[in-house]
Amino acid sequence: MAIEHITHTTIGVELVRKLSTEGRRIFTADAAREMAPSVGLSPGYFRQALHHLARSGWIVRLKKGLYALSGAVPGTTPLHEFEIAMALVEPAAISHWSAMSHHGLTDQVPRRVFVLTTARSVPRRRGAKSEGVQPGYAVGETFYQFIQVKRERFFGIEPVWVNESRISITDPERTLLDGLMAPQYCGDFAEVLHAFELRAPQLNVERIIDYALKLDAATAKRLGWILARQGIASDRLEPLRAVPIKGYRVLDPSGPRRGPYEARWMIQVNLPGTAAS
């Protein structure tokens, strides 16, 4: 049994080298199966070969039926976590805190990768809720957090190069708006406000207003409140002020409902240190 294991692991390594030569850093099990006979790997031992290659560190299992070459393969550099994110779900865009970090809008280093997607089904950890383990989907030591949105909210995305791969990421303006909608995925609301300050000199005001008008009223009002305090002229902010809304919305959607009210933006400023009106 030991000799058989060594034999098929050796043949499996030949398969890995062939995949690397053809530039298939990420590959499906079906694609590898089609290639297996060319290196002498019989169909009956294909699954065992993948298992042994994964245990030996030659390949990494990303999800069912999907694998990646590891950095142990000669001539192959380890995959960037953003490249893996693009392979885990489609469509996908690096977003929220991960995008903030990429764009230089935070000094913090996120401990997970945030991914925006319209996919109805995303990879999940088995038994995560019942076992009380850390939420998200793990590949090696990296956790991936998927934020699912409707198709009409999947916009404000640009292509960038990361190492040798072209990946999709939310642009700075969309990233800031995601922070206004879900600050819990961007560190916290204080981190989002800091990101607005960092981006202020290069902020595309027209673009971020246009984006906000495609989202929801609460986001538009929060944006108006922030831009007004950054000194943006009132006439440029009029489209945001004119958005109809019923009732006051808290500035920080993850915070308590308390603090002073600002009628112009229909915002309750629930930041730490603000006195209730």
Side-chain angles (χ1 to χ4, degrees), residues 203-214:
L203 184 68
N204 188 321
V205 176
E206 283 65 35
R207 177 183 295 169
I208 199 170
I209 289 176
D210 179 61
Y211 285 175
L213 295 176
K214 295 177 181 178

Side-chain angles (χ1 to χ4, degrees), residues 11 28 88 171 193 200 206 209 218 225 263:
I11 297 175
T28 63
L88 290 176
D171 65 28
L193 291 178
E206 283 65 35
I209 289 176
W225 185 92

Side-chain angles (χ1 to χ4, degrees), residues 98-124:
S98 299
M100 284 171 59
S101 178
H102 177 83
H103 294 306
L105 301 178
T106 177
D107 301 323
Q108 305 296 318
V109 179
R111 290 188 291 178
R112 63 179 54 211
V113 178
F114 293 87
V115 187
L116 194 71
T117 181
T118 63
R120 300 183 67 179
S121 176
V122 298
R124 300 185 187 280

Side-chain angles (χ1 to χ4, degrees), residues 9-264:
T9 298
T10 301
I11 297 175
V13 172
E14 290 303 314
L15 175 62
V16 164
R17 287 176 176 154
K18 188 173 181 61
L19 286 163
S20 177
T21 299
E22 296 192 3
R24 301 193 184 189
R25 302 174 73 207
I26 296 178
F27 60 93
T28 63
D30 289 341
R33 184 180 288 108
E34 292 178 4
M35 195 180 293
S38 67
V39 297
L41 183 61
S42 62
Y45 286 98
F46 177 73
R47 287 185 177 276
Q48 291 93 321
L50 284 186
H51 175 72
H52 293 316
L53 289 170
R55 288 193 62 181
S56 302
W58 288 97
I59 63 175
V60 178
R61 183 182 183 274
L62 302 184
K63 63 178 182 178
K64 184 176 180 180
L66 187 67
Y67 297 83
L69 301 181
S70 75
V73 180
T76 301
T77 56
L79 286 170
H80 191 280
E81 55 194 15
F82 289 177
E83 296 178 69
I84 293 175
M86 296 294 101
L88 290 176
V89 67
E90 187 180 352
I94 303 303
S95 65
H96 295 79
W97 209 358
S98 299
M100 284 171 59
S101 178
H102 177 83
H103 294 306
L105 301 178
T106 177
D107 301 323
Q108 305 296 318
V109 179
R111 290 188 291 178
R112 63 179 54 211
V113 178
F114 293 87
V115 187
L116 194 71
T117 181
T118 63
R120 300 183 67 179
S121 176
V122 298
R124 300 185 187 280
R125 293 189 68 185
R126 289 185 178 180
K129 291 184 178 180
S130 61
E131 297 172 11
V133 298
Q134 188 176 16
Y137 183 76
V139 175
E141 299 297 318
T142 303
F143 280 89
Y144 293 83
Q145 180 79 51
F146 300 100
I147 297 95
Q148 295 164 283
V149 296
K150 295 180 179 179
R151 188 172 300 277
E152 59 268 24
R153 290 197 171 198
F154 194 74
F155 64 85
I157 295 162
E158 62 185 11
V160 298
W161 285 97
V162 173
N163 294 338
E164 302 171 5
S165 294
R166 192 175 173 88
I167 65 105
S168 297
I169 189 168
T170 53
D171 65 28
E173 285 71 28
R174 174 57 196 265
T175 302
L176 290 171
L177 291 177
D178 281 333
L180 295 184
M181 293 185 288
Q184 69 272 24
Y185 296 142
C186 297
D188 56 27
F189 199 74
E191 195 68 23
V192 175
L193 291 178
H194 179 58
F196 268 95
E197 292 176 4
L198 292 175
R199 185 63 184 176
Q202 294 87 32
L203 184 68
N204 188 321
V205 176
E206 283 65 35
R207 177 183 295 169
I208 199 170
I209 289 176
D210 179 61
Y211 285 175
L213 295 176
K214 295 177 181 178
L215 294 169
D216 55 68
T219 302
K221 300 304 183 182
R222 291 173 187 136
L223 177 63
W225 185 92
I226 291 173
L227 294 183
R229 275 150 188 76
Q230 289 188 339
I232 304 301
S234 296
D235 59 328
R236 299 176 72 186
L237 301 181
E238 184 56 26
L240 297 174
R241 192 204 64 78
V243 172
I245 192 169
K246 294 182 179 179
Y248 283 82
R249 304 302 168 88
V250 289
L251 181 61
D252 176 2
S254 63
R257 183 169 285 280
R258 65 186 182 195
Y261 295 89
E262 291 205 12
R264 173 172 170 74

